[in-house]
């Protein structure tokens, strides 16, 4: 049985970068006023980025970054710089510095309830809840991967699978490689404003 109460958990550099990119993509959706769900959304976002920054990021590149098209390629820092300027930051470095400063200023929250996915056994379940009334139960598949087995009032649906190495109480939950019925991988953030609560489910 995993210990749900842990001290500060250190993420790898790659995991930290993935979480930062997920956070940036969520901010870009806020600025653009739309969720990236269709090819037209990426066409419009590409045009909006060019209008705002005078730099072009092709819709095909945006689809890879947002996980709409599966790709192992990592975004270049120059591309991340453009995305950060669009999201009203000076650069990728400026964005990461501000995100880390924010986390450090709230570091007391990190000493509460935390769980590494690798501490779970396959088929163990977690219940996730977040405002306003989201309620999702997930089952561990191994290798940091989960499957949604119950969902209420959420965009997540039964059968969706995703990767998540770490759960932190009252912090946003970052899901990567989220696969739904269309088999297109995507990234997803739960509880971005008020965080997510979790508990072991029967």
């Amino acid at each position: 049985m995993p210990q749900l109460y842990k001290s500060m958990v250190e993420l790898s550099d790659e995991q930290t970068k993935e979480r930062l990119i997920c956070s940036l993509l969520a901010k870009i959706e806020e600025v653009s006023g739309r969720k990236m769900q269709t090819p037209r959304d990426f066409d419009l976002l590409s045009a909006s980025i060019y209008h705002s920054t005078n730099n072009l990021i092709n819709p095909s590149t945006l689809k890879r970054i947002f996980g709409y098209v599966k790709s192992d390629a990592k975004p270049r820092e120059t591309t991340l710089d453009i995305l950060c300027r669009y999201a009203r930051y000076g650069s990728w470095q400026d964005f990461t510095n501000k995100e880390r400063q924010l986390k450090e200023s709230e570091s007391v929250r990190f000493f509460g309830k935390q769980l590494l996915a690798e501490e779970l056994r396959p088929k163990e379940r977690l219940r996730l809840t977040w405002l306003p009334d989201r309620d999702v139960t997930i089952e561990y598949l191994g290798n940091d991967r989960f499957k949604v087995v119950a969902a209420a009032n959420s965009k997540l649906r039964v059968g969706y699978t995703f990767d998540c190495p770490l759960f932190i109480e009252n912090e946003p939950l970052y899901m990567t490689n989220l696969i739904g019925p269309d088999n297109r991988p995507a990234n997803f953030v739960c509880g971005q404003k008020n965080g997510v609560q979790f508990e072991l489910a029967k």
Side-chain angles (χ1 to χ4, degrees), residues 15-84:
Q15 289 172 330
T16 298
K17 186 174 182 179
E18 285 183 5
R19 291 190 64 165
L20 286 168
I21 290 175
C22 281
S23 180
L24 174 61
L25 297 183
K27 292 179 187 299
I28 287 171
E29 288 184 327
E30 285 185 6
V31 171
S32 69
R34 67 176 59 246
K35 294 289 185 181
M36 297 298 108
Q37 297 176 332
T38 69
R40 176 169 169 76
D41 291 329
F42 292 99
D43 291 340
L44 292 173
L45 178 60
S46 177
S48 181
I49 290 172
Y50 183 76
H51 178 75
S52 177
T53 69
N54 205 32
N55 291 105
L56 179 65
I57 302 179
N58 291 324
S60 57
T61 300
L62 292 171
K63 289 176 184 177
R64 289 194 297 272
I65 294 171
F66 275 84
Y68 186 79
V69 173
K70 190 171 184 179
S71 173
D72 294 328
K74 305 298 182 184
R76 298 178 181 178
E77 188 158 330
T78 52
T79 302
L80 293 174
D81 281 338
I82 296 169
L83 292 173
C84 286

Side-chain angles (χ1 to χ4, degrees), residues 108-126:
V108 65
R109 296 170 61 185
F110 281 87
F111 288 89
K113 189 175 175 182
Q114 302 179 29
L115 172 66
L116 284 168
E118 64 187 20
E119 296 179 315
L120 293 166
R121 294 190 298 265
K123 296 190 176 181
E124 279 195 292
R125 295 183 172 188
L126 292 176

